[in-house]
Amino acid sequence: MRASRLSSTAVALSSALILSACGGRAADNTVLRESFDSGDTFSRTVDGRAPDACEAARRTLLSQGYAIARSDDAQVEGNKNFQPREDDHEQLVLRISCAPRGNQALVFVSAVQDRYALKKSPTSASVGVGALGSVSLPFGSNDDSLVKVASSTVTDAEFYRRFFQRLQQYLPADAGKPAASPPPAVPEPAPAATDQG
């Protein structure tokens, strides 16, 4: 009797472990895909100072129709709206960070694509009807609202390659060139001696 209880307990425990392991694997699927490899999809080293790199990033976004939500010497954030279908809306948000790296700047960029769907909720209004009291009648108007239905980080390497290519065009022309040393001082000629006698 005792042995059968122990065996049923062992079966129940092993079943629970198997189920939790399966659930854990599904839950950690996104984490397992995140490899932190050494690729440079989201970052590049560019010539020049970090503030110049962030200003170049700001101009890059402006040149493509992005609205700038934030901009300073270390960070830039911009967004752009799209409407691929009548009831679907998308927003692309780019966040750029600039950090000094010796005589150069390290630029990090991440793009997030948010998707919204138009949700219609019909409204009704109460109408007073004498002895019956008030009656709710649906009207044709709708309170439409956009609801976020998906959000994902853009991982397309070609998208980021084009961004950094455009950013290079807005860096200062002299970025990365060593500062020109001042010309050597030319000694002033000594005043000519005059003979007073």
Side-chain angles (χ1 to χ4, degrees), residues 145-163:
S145 58
L146 286 174
V147 178
K148 186 188 287 191
V149 294
S151 183
S152 61
T153 299
V154 177
T155 57
D156 181 19
E158 180 63 19
F159 171 84
Y160 292 102
R161 187 192 66 76
R162 292 194 306 268
F163 170 83

Side-chain angles (χ1 to χ4, degrees), residues 91-93 95 110-115 148-155 160:
Q91 185 176 62
L92 199 56
V93 179
R95 294 179 181 92
S110 175
V112 175
Q113 185 175 23
D114 294 327
R115 290 190 178 91
K148 186 188 287 191
V149 294
S151 183
S152 61
T153 299
V154 177
T155 57
Y160 292 102

Side-chain angles (χ1 to χ4, degrees), residues 76-95:
V76 178
E77 181 179 323
N79 57 70
K80 187 175 181 180
N81 296 304
F82 304 88
Q83 188 174 357
R85 288 168 297 280
E86 184 179 352
D87 290 346
D88 292 335
H89 301 263
E90 294 179 3
Q91 185 176 62
L92 199 56
V93 179
L94 268 76
R95 294 179 181 92

Side-chain angles (χ1 to χ4, degrees), residues 30-113:
T30 301
V31 175
L32 293 174
R33 285 199 306 265
E34 190 59 72
S35 62
F36 282 98
D37 62 14
S38 59
D40 59 353
T41 299
F42 302 98
S43 65
R44 296 281 195 289
T45 301
V46 299
D47 291 331
R49 303 177 315 120
D52 292 337
C54 264
E55 175 59 19
R58 187 183 75 86
R59 294 180 184 199
T60 299
L61 295 183
L62 287 172
S63 74
Q64 301 301 304
Y66 283 79
I68 303 301
R70 175 182 178 175
S71 177
D72 57 39
D73 287 350
Q75 291 185 337
V76 178
E77 181 179 323
N79 57 70
K80 187 175 181 180
N81 296 304
F82 304 88
Q83 188 174 357
R85 288 168 297 280
E86 184 179 352
D87 290 346
D88 292 335
H89 301 263
E90 294 179 3
Q91 185 176 62
L92 199 56
V93 179
L94 268 76
R95 294 179 181 92
I96 300 109
S97 296
C98 309
R101 186 179 197 179
N103 294 328
Q104 296 178 305
L106 194 53
V107 179
F108 301 91
V109 60
S110 175
V112 175
Q113 185 175 23

Side-chain angles (χ1 to χ4, degrees), residues 1-8:
M1 184 79 171
R2 194 173 195 182
S4 67
R5 268 192 207 157
L6 285 174
S7 66
S8 63

